Amino acid sequence: MDKVTIKNRIRELRFANGEMTQQALADSVGITRQTVIALEKNKYYPSLELAFRIAQIFKRPLEDVFEFQGHVSESKKAKP
Amino acid sequence: MGFHEKSAWACLLGIVLVFVPYFAVVLRFPMAFAGLFVLVVIIQVVFMVAFHVGNAIMSPSIRKTGDTPPKDELDQLIELRAAKISGVILGIVVISWCMIAMYGVPALGVHEIVLANANDGNDLPPSKFAIPIFDVLLAVHVLFAGFVIANLVYYGTIVVSYRRLANG
């Protein structure tokens, strides 16, 4: 399987939402500031629940905040 | 640096500062553990209490909420990974110790009979053997050292994981 990359626009959306600080975002979704930093650097991919909570804070659909950029090789694709 | 990383650093430093000197003494002098062990546990407890009090005084969020920050999913993932690695290390240490003990104890006991017979002319029955308390205590200290090493690996893995997230 190829390496999966999920990019996000958390940093950009924070600034678009009244210059929201990392700590403010962390407090509003119940995570630590270190986790926000890791998310913004793409060092950590959040759980589905956390991803939805972050999208909810920015009042955006999930795909506006997170973008799946990875590719799964043909042999590993799920069969219908 | 977040609270949980600081906490892991404190545990790591506490273990290194307290248990390295402890094992430096008891692995050379296995009988010297009695008072030393109590002292080591007291120092470790005092160190951890001092850290938490100091951290609570320094941290505005702890002062505000009166509680330590909850662990989020990344903290839990890091802890799980650390627990998995340290668990494997502890398992290897315990199984190695058991294997050495199973083969070593009879050999050590027989060795003692041979020595006893050779030195004193004792006529010990072959079904009995003696192991010196020195060797038994040393074996117990080695096992305990394995447990402490597994803890070092646990906190070390947590610290390295946080540092890699911050820097790497």
Side-chain angles (χ1 to χ4, degrees):
Chain A
M1 195 191 295
D2 294 343
K3 194 181 175 189
V4 172
T5 308
I6 303 170
K7 294 243 172 178
N8 69 71
R9 296 172 55 219
I10 294 174
R11 188 178 171 80
E12 183 190 331
L13 290 168
R14 268 197 308 109
F15 285 103
N17 277 264
E19 305 259 326
M20 183 189 275
T21 62
Q22 289 173 328
Q23 188 64 59
L25 175 62
D27 291 342
S28 57
V29 294
I31 57 176
T32 61
R33 189 173 149 263
Q34 283 65 38
T35 303
V36 174
I37 294 167
L39 286 168
E40 288 187 355
K41 287 182 177 174
N42 281 317
K43 299 269 180 197
Y44 172 63
Y45 301 142
S47 67
L48 197 55
E49 183 194 342
L50 178 57
F52 271 112
R53 275 193 277 146
I54 291 170
Q56 202 172 38
I57 291 294
F58 295 131
K59 297 183 178 64
R60 299 285 188 115
L62 192 65
E63 59 270 27
D64 272 11
V65 185
F66 296 94
E67 186 188 348
F68 181 72
Q69 295 192 326
H71 300 283
V72 180
S73 63
E74 289 299 314
S75 60
K76 296 284 181 182
K77 271 187 182 170
K79 287 176 184 168
Chain B
M1 194 186 291
F3 173 81
H4 299 298
E5 186 184 351
K6 275 188 216 161
S7 182
W9 270 111
C11 292
L12 189 66
L13 288 176
I15 291 171
V16 169
L17 292 175
V18 171
F19 281 101
V20 168
Y22 171 78
F23 283 114
V25 173
V26 297
L27 291 178
R28 286 180 66 196
F29 311 104
M31 303 289 278
F33 75 97
L36 199 58
F37 184 75
V38 175
L39 184 69
V40 155
V41 170
I42 290 170
I43 293 171
Q44 182 75 7
V45 169
V46 169
F47 183 86
M48 292 313 298
V49 169
F51 162 76
H52 283 289
V53 170
N55 201 20
I57 292 167
M58 301 283 281
S59 166
S61 70
I62 297 177
R63 278 207 307 268
K64 195 167 72 179
T65 60
D67 200 3
T68 54
K71 286 174 184 161
D72 66 14
E73 60 182 46
L74 181 56
D75 298 318
Q76 287 171 358
L77 186 71
I78 287 171
E79 283 193 4
L80 276 174
R81 194 182 296 153
K84 186 180 163 189
I85 295 169
S86 66
V88 168
I89 303 254
L90 185 61
I92 290 169
V93 167
V94 169
I95 289 170
S96 305
W97 189 89
C98 288
M99 296 302 286
I100 292 167
M102 280 190 287
Y103 287 102
V105 165
L108 194 64
V110 170
H111 177 67
E112 287 304 310
I113 291 171
V114 171
L115 277 180
N117 283 333
N119 292 340
D120 304 331
N122 289 339
D123 196 18
L124 290 172
S127 59
K128 285 188 179 177
F129 54 85
I131 303 171
I133 187 72
F134 185 93
D135 292 333
V136 172
L137 281 173
L138 184 64
V140 173
H141 291 321
V142 168
L143 185 61
F144 185 49
F147 172 76
V148 172
I149 287 168
N151 269 274
L152 276 176
V153 170
Y154 175 76
Y155 291 113
T157 306
I158 290 176
V159 165
V160 168
S161 300
Y162 280 120
R163 285 297 87 208
R164 281 171 69 181
L165 278 173
N167 303 326

